[in-house]
Amino acid sequence: MGSYSREDILRLVEEEDIQFIRMQFTDLFGQLKNVAITASQIGRALNGEIMLDGSSIQGSVRVEESDQYLRPDLNTFAILPWRPQYGKVARLICDIYNPDGTPFDGDPRNILKRTLKKAEELGYAFHVGSELEFFLFQTDEEGRPTAKTSDEAGYFDLGPLDHGESTRREVALALEKMGVEIEASHHESAAGQHEIDLKYTDALAAADNIMTFKLAVKTLAQKNGLYATFMPKPLRDAAGNGMHVNMSLFQDGRNLFYDETGERKLSPLARQFIAGLLEHARGFCALTNPVVNSYKRLVPGYEAPCYLAWSESNRSALIRIPDPRGRGTRVELRSPDTACNPYLAFAACLSAGLDGVTRELTPPPAAAGNLYAMTAEELAERNIRGLPASLDAALRAMETDGVVMEALGPYAIRYAAGKRREWEEYRTQISQWELDNYLASC
Ligand code: GLU
Ligand code: MG
């Protein structure tokens, strides 16, 4: 992210021959939205005078209170590298405001900012780095997405087996141009599956970067004749798409999770944060894993977590502590998937961690061994519970988790209601599996 004044932006629009500016925001359910304005309107845009009809946005306001305003965050100014380079297109990520000048409670960016402010009051800066997985599939003759790939590569493989090399390269280059720092990119374990890791940054920029990342991947995949999907589990017998979230708390540039003298070189603060995450992991699951399909990924055997446990390095646990210590000390939460609204997911995770800190919770002992291989009895003996098995169960866990509901604020109820409708629609479908199993036998 840059650091721009109003004058910088007016000058850049002129000098760079920018003809359109996209005013972007994210709706409650994680969908990126934008309205394009012409360069002649930039003054009004910077004054926060561009309006939107909130009642037409999912999860937003009612018809009778529909006027809302977009106030751009100047530091998010970036030119879209994949649009024409004459008559360029820039974007500004915006906050949504009510006509009375107050921030809109249902704006996910505002929800995250509110939580970050609470952390700041306690003296903490919340840093996040994310590992984003996705599939690149082929399209059919009519250009519609399929779940097919001719790519035969696996983990860390390279061309010619890897058919997504060009797309990954273009995404990495485009994002770097936009000020998003990429740490690594590689082929993932399933055929057609890829991962790009974003360097850690403050949580607001991290969430903005994820929204930018998803747009870049979808757009550049299409340019390469492929279709990108972040669907959590598109194929039953292959790994799903995770979004591992690496979290740490900083103070005056110092990583507070690191303690040279602590057990495993982790500070008491890091332990309390882990305990908070474990305490609320069921409660925030409907946010980190927001769609019906999310729960088909959280099954044993594909490096996705299903149990509430933490571990030094075991990839079957919900929380892992990757090896680096010092500045790089972090807690890796492995449950989130790329379908989530990152603003809400980060707000919920931070609130959960901070709850552990303020209540000085102690985490259970780190889990040893492969959790996937444990029997129900072995898990019960160790007091290890599971993550919710469906969106329905996750919503029930969320509605009874005061910390998560408070993190979302007044719009928690609207989020849950929207997701409940999605669940009900799914619940009443008759699937091929049911027909195959019951038509003849019943
Ligand atoms: N794709 C796995 C998941 O669903 C994660 C693989 C990895 O460890 O990167 O979370
Ligand atoms: Mg991965």
Side-chain angles (χ1 to χ4, degrees):
M1 294 273 155
S3 168
Y4 297 107
S5 66
R6 183 189 165 91
E7 288 64 42
D8 291 335
I9 292 178
L10 291 172
R11 183 174 45 76
L12 281 167
V13 167
E14 184 81 34
E15 278 176 15
E16 293 278 346
D17 179 28
I18 291 169
Q19 294 299 332
F20 295 96
I21 297 102
R22 296 198 179 183
M23 308 286 281
Q24 295 181 346
F25 60 96
T26 299
D27 76 14
L28 199 62
F29 300 105
Q31 205 60 43
L32 184 67
K33 300 272 174 188
N34 79 184
V35 51
I37 57 158
T38 53
S40 64
Q41 301 302 304
I42 186 69
R44 280 182 59 231
L46 295 177
N47 291 344
E49 289 174 26
I50 304 295
M51 288 175 69
L52 76 142
D53 167 9
S55 66
S56 300
I57 304 290
Q58 275 229 49
S60 196
V61 289
R62 291 185 297 261
V63 191
E64 59 272 27
E65 51 191 14
S66 55
D67 281 348
Q68 293 182 306
Y69 290 89
L70 293 172
R71 281 199 197 171
D73 178 337
L74 303 190
N75 293 339
T76 64
F77 179 83
I79 295 171
L80 299 182
W82 53 83
R83 298 296 298 150
Q85 291 310 296
Y86 53 90
K88 293 179 191 167
V89 180
R91 73 96 204 266
L92 280 163
I93 298 178
C94 305
D95 296 316
I96 305 175
Y97 275 74
N98 300 313
D100 67 2
T102 54
F104 170 47
D105 281 334
D107 172 12
R109 208 169 185 265
N110 176 31
I111 291 172
L112 177 57
K113 275 183 160 178
R114 226 174 32 215
T115 318
L116 292 173
K117 195 146 181 275
K118 279 189 202 153
E120 213 178 281
E121 279 159 16
L122 295 168
Y124 307 130
F126 183 46
H127 286 184
V128 173
S130 44
E131 303 167 35
L132 298 137
E133 296 177 337
F134 55 95
F135 277 90
L136 292 176
F137 286 136
Q138 291 161 346
T139 49
D140 64 16
E141 307 78 55
E142 274 138 37
R144 282 190 302 249
T146 70
K148 293 197 189 101
T149 172
S150 56
D151 167 310
E152 291 164 26
Y155 187 66
F156 271 36
D157 275 344
L158 57 170
L161 293 178
D162 171 1
H163 294 194
E165 241 177 8
S166 310
T167 304
R168 280 205 315 272
R169 175 191 143 84
E170 286 170 29
V171 169
L173 290 175
L175 289 180
E176 292 257 345
K177 266 196 201 148
M178 295 178 78
V180 179
E181 210 174 325
I182 308 288
E183 225 162 37
S185 72
H186 61 86
H187 199 287
E188 249 301 343
S189 60
Q193 194 187 25
H194 305 269
E195 172 173 327
I196 297 185
D197 303 335
L198 307 188
K199 190 177 159 61
Y200 78 83
T201 172
D202 70 90
L204 186 67
D208 286 342
N209 288 348
I210 290 172
M211 297 311 297
T212 306
F213 169 84
K214 289 175 78 169
L215 178 66
V217 172
K218 292 237 176 218
T219 308
L220 293 166
Q222 197 182 41
K223 284 204 159 155
N224 283 298
L226 295 166
Y227 187 86
T229 181
F230 296 92
M231 181 175 173
K233 185 83 172 179
L235 304 167
R236 194 190 73 168
D237 299 319
N241 290 323
M243 186 187 100
H244 300 167
V245 179
N246 292 272
M247 300 177 247
S248 49
L249 293 178
F250 272 64
Q251 193 171 62
D252 302 326
R254 216 161 36 87
N255 185 333
L256 298 178
F257 280 2
Y258 175 62
D259 182 349
E260 178 66 40
T261 59
E263 197 192 326
R264 296 186 167 95
K265 300 203 172 172
L266 289 179
S267 65
L269 186 83
R271 287 168 186 285
Q272 292 164 353
F273 199 90
I274 292 170
L277 286 174
L278 287 172
E279 172 111 348
H280 298 288
R282 289 177 55 83
F284 62 61
C285 215
L287 296 162
T288 49
N289 305 74
V291 298
V292 166
N293 180 257
S294 296
Y295 296 85
K296 308 211 165 162
R297 169 180 160 255
L298 302 175
V299 297
Y302 296 96
E303 294 191 319
C306 359
Y307 304 113
L308 298 178
W310 73 289
S311 142
E312 189 86 6
S313 58
N314 189 334
R315 287 182 153 73
S316 64
L318 173 70
I319 293 171
R320 197 172 76 89
I321 313 297
D323 190 51
R325 291 293 189 271
R327 250 189 105 69
T329 310
R330 58 189 186 262
V331 169
E332 176 189 333
L333 181 73
R334 295 176 61 80
S335 53
D337 65 49
T338 17
C340 76
N341 178 331
Y343 300 97
L344 301 185
F346 295 170
C349 290
L350 175 59
S351 302
L354 288 181
D355 186 50
V357 171
T358 42
R359 286 165 60 204
E360 299 185 3
L361 298 180
T362 309
N370 182 356
L371 296 164
Y372 298 147
M374 286 186 195
T375 61
E377 291 75 36
E378 284 169 324
L379 290 166
E381 253 168 47
R382 290 170 178 75
N383 221 355
I384 298 177
R385 295 178 71 200
L387 283 167
S390 66
L391 182 59
D392 178 42
L395 286 168
R396 276 187 269 132
M398 175 179 150
E399 281 157 344
T400 53
D401 189 317
V403 168
V404 173
M405 293 299 277
E406 200 196 311
L408 253 64
Y411 274 73
I413 292 164
R414 202 156 307 186
Y415 180 87
K419 285 290 157 186
R420 177 76 57 205
R421 275 196 297 278
E422 189 174 327
W423 170 257
E424 284 304 319
E425 199 183 315
Y426 171 71
R427 194 177 70 83
T428 51
Q429 299 294 321
I430 314 297
S431 68
Q432 191 58 45
W433 185 92
E434 287 165 278
L435 295 176
D436 291 348
N437 281 274
Y438 305 131
L439 259 186
S441 74
C442 293

